Every structure is written in structure tokens, then in C-alpha cells.
Amino acid sequence: MDLNLKDKVIIVTGGAKGIGEAITRSVSKENGVAVIVGRSKEVGEQVAEDIKDQGGKALAIHKNLGTPVSCSEVIDEVMQEYGRIDGLVNNAGANDGVGLEKGGPDAFLASLEKNLYHYYYLAHYALDALKASKGSIVNISSKTAVTGQGNTSAYAAAKGAQLALTREWAVELLKHQIRVNAILPAEVMTPLYESWINTFSDPKAKLNEIERKIPLGNRMTTSEEIANMAVFLLSDRAAHMTGQHLYVDGGYVHLDRALAGAKE
Ligand code: NAP
């Protein structure tokens, strides 16, 4: 199926690693222009160069998101380079374990800055361009927004707010034909996830325990499976979808956990 993303300019925050990298590469495979925004210059440029070597179009923007200025600079740079924006994928974030007990007001606010504020700032500064292109926004949230996790108040709050903003922006932007949707991953092996699993004394045993509880296939979701949904939502194949919260999680959130081990 052709997603008609040829030459569409799509910004992917955190687009050089994990889920973001998979989305970047999927945009490129669909002949779109991938704009990678991230705080690691080398890694972003490496992915962009790799895409260009394969005949694709990509731009790496080195930016630590969080402040309004850094986000407005991202949009300015994309507009200077391409003169249009067709899609924004808000993806950058990290589950940083700022809880009620281990944390405090300063840590809570700092985590929201890293996980939530730039979702709003980028959408705000990209709005004129998205109006012109009748573009699309995809917010990467998390199962944590609806299940909780414990000891991660700020991350859960940010992920919940992203779902609320998805509905809110979908309504506000109806008149501009800008569609806004969210994806909720549950368990996806990425560099971030790997460093988390390695904090356990027996990472392999912990991973087995997690995988057993994922109903469909007792396995992790791949980054590519999240990216497949993201490029579909960005495309005009999803022309009548807006304000949706999509769970790409092998049934993790909604199916009965008694299904653990259902494969055997
Ligand atoms: P990842 O492997 O750490 O990749 C995220 C990328 O975003 C990294 O390159 C990171 O840069 C960058 N980034 C993070 N915060 C940033 C900031 N403030 N400014 C600029 N760049 C920033 O993470 P991932 O697992 O792919 O997660 C991507 C998204 O999926 C996140 O929103 C996460 O909450 C969500 N999610 C993931 C899972 C999962 O199982 N993996 C589950 C639910 C939700 P550095 O390399 O410098 O850190």
C-alpha cells in the first residue's frame, strides 16, 4: 500500500534511537523526508547519513528539547530548510522514576519539562505550517498513562497529559483538517528499555517474566510495529482518524493477564 508520504516533511523527536529511530526509518522507506530531532549530535547525524546513503532524504537537528526557545528554533530550522511541515511525531521522553517518595517538587517539574512541555511547544510553533499542509500530529504516550506503574509520578502525569492533549488538539484543530492521534506502547525493546532491564540483578529472568505476561505471542512489541502505526496515522490512508488512542501492545493493557503463557 502506498501511504502517499513521498516528500512529506515529518519531524520525529528522539528520532535517532529506539521507537523514534524506527519511525524515522519508516518515514524514509515511504519516501518521506525525516527530520530527526535529538540531543545527541553524533547519533542523529549517523542515522541521517545512513538514510541519505540509501537514497533517502533526512536532516538531523541537534537540540535538547524542553525550553520554548529550543522548540521554536527546531521549527524555524525545518522551515528554512524545506519550507513546509507535514507531520510532527512527539516521541522524545524517558521514564525517569520521579515518584511521590523518591522525588519532590523540583524533580517533578524537571521531569515534566523533559517529558511533556516540548510536546506542546513543538505543536504550538509548528501550527502555521501544519495548517498550510493540513498535516498530522502523532503523540507517543505510554501504557503507564492508563495503568500506572508506581514510583514514577511525573512520567505517568506527562503520558496522561499527552493523551488528554491528543483529544483536546483533535477538537481544536478540526477546523484546519489537522488530525491528532496517540500511540500507547507497552513493552518495546529500545536502548532506554535495555538500560532499565539491566538494573535488575537477573535481567534475562526479568525479561522472561515480562514477556510471559504479553498475551499476543508472549513477546515484546518491536519498534517497527510502533512505527508501522505511526506512518499509517501520518498518512492520508488514516484520513478519517483523529483523537484516537491506539494501543500497539500485543493486548497487554486490555486482555486478561490470565492469558500469560497462552502460547504454550
Ligand atoms: P530511547 O531508546 O531512549 O530513545 C529516545 C530518544 O529520545 C533518545 O535518542 C533520547 O536521547 C531522545 N530524547 C529523550 N528526551 C529528550 C529531550 N528532552 N530532548 C531531546 N532528545 C531527547 O527511548 P524509547 O524507549 O524509544 O522511547 C521513545 C518514547 O516511547 C518515549 O516517549 C517513551 O516514553 C515511549 N514509550 C516507550 C516504551 C518502551 O517500552 N520502550 C513504552 C512506553 C512508552 P538520549 O539518547 O540522549 O537519551
Side-chain angles (χ1 to χ4, degrees):
M1 191 197 305
D2 184 357
L3 295 180
N4 300 320
L5 286 176
K6 186 168 169 21
D7 293 332
K8 303 274 186 203
V9 177
I10 312 289
I11 299 173
V12 186
T13 67
K17 275 193 194 168
I19 291 169
E21 180 183 358
I23 297 172
T24 297
R25 291 188 183 275
S26 293
V27 165
S28 171
K29 275 186 205 137
E30 295 297 328
N31 301 310
V33 181
V35 180
I36 302 158
V37 184
R39 59 187 165 202
S40 162
K41 191 171 189 296
E42 255 167 53
V43 188
E45 280 171 2
Q46 223 168 25
V47 175
E49 284 312 308
D50 193 36
I51 286 175
K52 286 191 232 167
D53 286 347
Q54 292 168 32
K57 293 179 192 155
L59 172 72
I61 298 181
H62 173 224
K63 206 62 84 181
N64 192 351
L65 298 165
T67 68
V69 172
S70 65
C71 292
S72 126
E73 285 171 356
V74 168
I75 302 303
D76 288 349
E77 196 171 331
V78 180
M79 288 307 281
Q80 264 165 31
E81 186 71 25
Y82 300 111
R84 62 181 296 134
I85 298 168
D86 299 279
L88 167 65
V89 182
N90 279 318
N91 164 75
N95 192 343
D96 49 8
V98 176
L100 272 176
E101 287 177 297
K102 195 178 137 235
D106 290 344
F108 184 77
L109 281 177
S111 173
L112 289 185
E113 191 173 280
K114 285 186 227 141
N115 282 302
L116 175 63
Y117 295 171
H118 53 88
Y119 277 50
Y120 174 87
Y121 298 152
L122 286 168
H124 171 73
Y125 291 118
L127 201 51
D128 284 343
L130 290 171
K131 282 182 193 171
S133 64
K134 295 192 171 53
S136 172
I137 300 174
V138 174
N139 290 324
I140 305 298
S141 174
S142 164
K143 74 165 195 314
T144 315
V146 291
T147 61
Q149 182 183 297
N151 306 315
T152 195
S153 305
Y155 180 74
K159 294 293 161 191
Q162 290 160 13
L163 294 184
L165 290 175
T166 298
R167 290 262 150 85
E168 167 63 15
W169 295 346
V171 172
E172 183 170 340
L173 301 177
L174 285 172
K175 57 183 175 291
H176 301 295
Q177 301 271 309
I178 298 172
R179 297 177 302 100
V180 188
N181 292 290
I183 301 174
L184 292 84
E187 308 287 348
V188 187
M189 189 52 73
T190 63
L192 181 69
Y193 198 100
E194 203 173 341
S195 53
W196 172 74
I197 204 93
N198 284 331
T199 61
F200 292 90
S201 56
D202 187 347
K204 211 166 166 226
K206 182 69 187 169
L207 188 58
N208 282 339
E209 182 192 321
I210 292 167
E211 284 180 329
R212 265 193 295 118
K213 291 185 183 135
I214 301 172
L216 187 60
N218 306 116
R219 65 164 178 87
M220 309 282 285
T221 307
T222 65
S223 293
E224 289 70 28
E225 287 165 333
I226 305 291
N228 289 342
M229 177 58 78
V231 287
F232 172 69
L233 291 173
L234 290 165
S235 81
D236 59 15
R237 298 291 178 176
H240 215 209
M241 285 185 73
T242 195
Q244 299 303 305
H245 299 164
L246 293 132
Y247 293 79
V248 182
D249 67 354
Y252 189 97
V253 170
H254 291 93
L255 301 189
D256 191 339
R257 296 286 162 79
L259 295 166
K263 201 168 70 168
E264 289 108 51

